[in-house]
């Protein structure tokens, strides 16, 4: 079977606080976000939109999300997240006490609060998540006071004492809609759980950072386990496994086989899943690596050596410069630049927050760069999504992604201050003095200052947001409000 690769880069529009919200927990990474990172596999559609686990507010007292469907927020399209087993989900190492929890908000919204719940010590790890598995009083609650948060927020929370595998359920409750966003976070406290000192059992008392998991491989690929201490990689422990067949390349299979290979080759580490009596055996799923208390090892990492494939078998697609024109009577356009290497079929559609399609196009691209424009009809101002799918010519799905964007009405998008050159931000890394940009967050137009201040807007980037026109803390050093 030939290998088709996809290199996918997306430059996103900034999301206005006026749109419906989306967000996910990025640290410690939620189950859904680990799907996007490739650390969880067989995830389905959520790997493309971990920010979309939205459901009615009211947990735990209300009926939604339903028991057994907490991880998916009761969304059938994300039902793969509801599979529950001690070995199938990648876990974050954690200790009780003060921990930081960070959210990435791809579209911000007025907030009632953020809440965090944790499973009871002896919850059933083999049954789908239900309310009965959790302590129903949040161990941490952060008041949002009805304000619009930053695009990334971090909360410091005192996590209760636990041991072993647990799940933290994070809830972001929105203030001016009836919905919340829900995120299941898989964590491992080890056997001590309450401090940096683990309780010894069967000698394997310490859990290394990192796990034996990753992605599906193909025949003749190699997967390599690499071990590290404070001085760097310990070369003598490096363990490689060559994939013999397509079935052996399934992630749950090679994780088991690599764990077995490690245990055979090395006596100072033990890979697998630990039982209640402290024994560690390889599992068909995600395997941890354990060492003895006196070990100086700190972490394990996975790397790959891929079998070479002919260059003409490779396909890649870059999508950049996603922009939307203001709407007039429900009509407008969404455009983006698509750069293809090889032959691919691109299907793209624009949906409103309810999922209704307001624009669609399909294009066959063959080693070319093209500007793609989707005409919109029946659209209204607010949150929308550009969803696109990339397939080979024989119809095999290569990949898909979703871009959150904001549509505005023409009346509010272009005020009386006149014409503008760009909707901010663009993919430009240089704005000339005098350039006029529309800031969709407030509908106002700003002009790049002349020297000596123009350097701030000429060099504006997503990493220098203090100079973002109209919203950054030092925006008026770089811009003036257009008259």
């Amino acid at each position: 079977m030939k290998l088709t690769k996809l290199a996918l880069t997306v430059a996103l529009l900034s999301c206005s606080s006026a749109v419906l919200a989306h967000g996910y927990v990025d640290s410690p990474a939620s189950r859904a976000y680990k799907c996007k990172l490739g650390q969880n596999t067989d995830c389905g559609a959520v790997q493309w939109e971990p920010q979309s686990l939205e459901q009615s507010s009211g947990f735990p007292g209300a009926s939604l999300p339903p028991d057994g469907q907490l991880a998916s927020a009761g969304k059938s399209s994300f039902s793969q997240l509801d599979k529950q087993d001690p070995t199938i989900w990648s876990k974050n190492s954690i200790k009780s006490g003060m921990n930081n929890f960070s959210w990435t908000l791809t579209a911000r919204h007025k907030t009632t609060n953020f809440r965090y719940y944790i499973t009871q010590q002896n919850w059933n790890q083999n049954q789908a998540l239900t309310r009965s598995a959790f302590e129903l009083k949040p161990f941490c609650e952060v008041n949002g006071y009805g304000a619009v948060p930053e695009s990334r927020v971090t909360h410091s929370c005192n996590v209760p004492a636990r041991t072993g595998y647990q799940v933290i359920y994070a809830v972001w409750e929105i203030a001016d809609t009836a919905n919340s966003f829900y995120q299941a976070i898989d964590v491992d406290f080890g056997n001590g759980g309450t401090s940096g000192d683990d309780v010894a059992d069967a000698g394997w008392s310490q859990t290394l950072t990192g796990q034996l998991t990753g992605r599906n491989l193909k025949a003749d690929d190699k997967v390599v386990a690499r071990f590290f201490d404070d001085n760097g990689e310990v070369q003598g422990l490096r363990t490689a496994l060559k994939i013999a067949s397509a079935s052996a390349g399934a992630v749950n299979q090679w994780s088991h086989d690599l764990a077995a290979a490690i245990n055979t080759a090395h006596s100072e580490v033990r890979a697998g899943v630990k039982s209640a009596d402290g024994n560690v055996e390889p599992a068909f799923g995600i395997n941890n690596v354990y060492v003895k208390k006196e070990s100086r090892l700190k972490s394990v990492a996975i790397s790959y050596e891929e079998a070479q494939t002919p260059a003409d078998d490779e396909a890649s697609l870059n999508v950049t410069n996603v922009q939307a024109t203001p709407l007039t009577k429900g009509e407008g356009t969404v455009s983006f630049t698509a750069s293809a290497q090889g032959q691919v079929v691109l299907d793209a559609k624009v949906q409103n927050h309810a999922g209704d399609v307001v624009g669609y196009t399909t294009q066959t691209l063959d080693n070319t760069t093209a500007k793609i424009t989707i005409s919109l009809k029946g659209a209204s101002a607010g949150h929308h999504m550009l969803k696109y799918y990339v397939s080979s010519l024989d119809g095999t799905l290569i990949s898909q992604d979703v871009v959150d964007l904001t549509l505005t009405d023409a009346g509010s998008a272009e005020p009386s201050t006149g014409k503008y050159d760009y909707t901010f931000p663009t993919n430009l890394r240089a704005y000339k003095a005098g350039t006029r940009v529309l800031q969709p967050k407030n509908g106002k137009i700003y002009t790049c200052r002349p020297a000596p201040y123009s350097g701030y807007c000429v060099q504006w980037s997503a990493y220098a947001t203090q100079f973002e026109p109209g919203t950054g803390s030092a925006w008026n050093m770089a811009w003036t409000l257009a008259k």
Side-chain angles (χ1 to χ4, degrees):
M1 180 177 179
K2 293 183 178 180
L3 174 68
T4 301
K5 295 180 180 178
L6 176 72
L8 187 60
T9 305
V10 181
L12 307 182
L13 288 175
S14 292
C15 293
S16 167
S17 61
V19 304
L20 294 172
H22 283 73
Y24 56 86
V25 178
D26 63 67
S27 179
S30 69
R31 183 177 297 183
Y33 185 51
K34 279 180 173 281
C35 289
K36 184 176 181 69
L37 295 174
Q39 297 174 12
N40 284 330
T41 59
D42 193 24
C43 295
V46 78
Q47 65 186 302
W48 311 114
E49 43 183 320
Q51 70 271 25
S52 297
L53 293 166
E54 180 183 16
Q55 186 54 269
S56 299
S57 296
F59 179 89
S63 60
L64 293 177
D67 278 343
Q69 301 175 35
L70 299 184
S72 68
K75 297 292 188 179
S76 59
S77 56
F78 304 138
S79 61
Q80 288 93 331
L81 288 178
D82 293 320
K83 293 181 294 185
Q84 186 58 49
D85 181 272
T87 68
I88 63 174
W89 300 117
S90 176
K91 303 171 185 65
N92 303 275
S93 296
I94 195 174
K95 298 294 181 183
S96 61
M98 299 307 296
N99 286 265
N100 288 335
F101 294 84
S102 297
W103 289 75
T104 291
L105 309 182
T106 61
R108 302 177 296 157
H109 211 345
K110 294 179 180 179
T111 297
T112 298
N113 58 46
F114 295 87
R115 305 192 305 279
Y116 300 87
Y117 303 82
I118 192 168
T119 45
Q120 302 181 58
Q121 174 59 51
N122 296 316
W123 68 291
N124 190 332
Q125 301 175 11
N126 293 292
Q127 291 185 352
L129 293 174
T130 65
R131 286 162 174 77
S132 63
F134 287 88
E135 300 284 354
L136 297 183
K137 180 179 179 181
F139 67 83
C140 183
E141 183 170 349
V142 180
N143 197 327
Y145 299 102
V148 177
E150 297 298 323
S151 59
R152 191 168 190 268
V153 296
T154 298
H155 308 128
S156 184
C157 297
N158 190 9
V159 178
R162 291 289 190 275
T163 61
Y165 172 35
Q166 305 290 334
V167 176
I168 292 173
Y169 200 48
V171 181
W172 174 25
E173 185 173 345
I174 307 306
D176 53 1
T177 77
N179 290 347
S180 292
F181 286 81
Y182 298 91
Q183 296 275 293
I185 310 168
D186 298 288
V187 297
D188 186 359
F189 287 83
N191 290 304
T194 59
S195 71
D197 296 324
D198 287 332
V199 177
D201 61 18
W204 306 112
S205 58
Q206 306 271 20
T207 308
L208 297 186
T209 301
Q211 295 169 313
L212 305 186
T213 189
R215 54 184 173 82
N216 294 328
L217 301 173
K218 66 182 188 305
D220 296 326
D221 285 348
K222 283 185 180 180
V223 58
V224 183
R226 304 167 61 193
F227 296 85
F228 300 83
D229 60 17
D230 287 335
N231 296 316
E233 185 175 359
V234 181
Q235 294 288 338
L237 292 177
R238 180 180 284 218
T239 306
L241 176 72
K242 186 174 181 179
I243 304 302
S245 64
S247 60
V251 60
N252 289 341
Q253 180 68 55
W254 70 246
S255 176
H256 170 277
D257 296 346
L258 182 58
I262 291 170
N263 295 345
T264 299
H266 308 294
S267 60
E268 58 265 62
V269 294
R270 187 75 181 179
V273 173
K274 188 183 293 186
S275 62
D277 60 7
N279 291 318
V280 180
E281 298 296 337
F284 292 95
I286 295 173
N287 288 273
N288 292 314
V289 179
Y290 301 87
V291 295
K292 296 181 179 180
K293 190 172 184 179
E294 62 272 16
S295 175
R296 299 182 62 182
L297 293 174
K298 300 297 183 182
S299 63
V300 61
I302 294 297
S303 63
Y304 306 100
E305 297 175 10
E306 295 187 75
Q308 296 298 310
T309 57
D312 59 3
D313 285 345
E314 296 184 358
S316 64
L317 180 72
N318 290 330
V319 172
T320 57
N321 198 26
V322 181
Q323 297 194 40
T325 62
L327 299 172
T328 301
K329 296 182 179 180
E331 296 185 0
T333 63
V334 169
S335 63
F336 55 91
T337 301
S339 300
Q341 177 181 329
Q343 293 181 317
V344 297
V345 178
L346 174 66
D347 289 285
K349 58 184 176 181
V350 177
Q351 293 177 274
N352 61 23
H353 189 76
D356 301 321
V357 177
V358 296
Y360 171 80
T361 189
T362 182
Q363 304 273 347
T364 298
L365 303 174
D366 185 359
N367 286 305
T368 188
T369 296
K371 181 177 181 180
I372 308 296
T373 299
I374 302 176
S375 298
L376 309 179
K377 291 186 177 181
S380 57
H383 172 255
H384 285 69
M385 295 169 284
L386 168 65
K387 289 188 176 182
Y388 57 92
Y389 308 85
V390 183
S391 304
S392 61
L393 294 183
D394 64 3
T396 301
L397 179 66
I398 298 171
S399 193
Q400 57 184 329
D401 210 341
V402 59
V403 180
D404 289 294
L405 61 150
T406 305
L407 300 184
T408 58
D409 286 323
S412 61
E414 188 172 342
S416 58
T417 49
K419 299 290 184 180
Y420 52 89
D421 301 301
Y422 303 101
T423 298
F424 184 89
T426 69
N427 63 339
L428 296 177
R429 292 191 176 273
Y431 293 95
K432 294 181 180 179
T435 299
R436 295 161 68 90
V437 298
L438 169 69
Q439 170 58 276
K441 293 181 179 179
N442 58 20
K444 296 181 180 179
I445 294 174
Y446 296 84
T447 303
C448 181
R449 281 180 175 271
Y453 303 102
S454 59
Y456 292 106
C457 52
V458 168
Q459 298 175 6
W460 184 90
S461 77
Y463 306 101
T465 57
Q466 69 268 33
F467 303 117
E468 181 174 349
T471 65
S473 60
W475 71 266
N476 56 0
M477 294 180 65
W479 306 88
T480 58
L481 185 63
K483 297 180 179 179

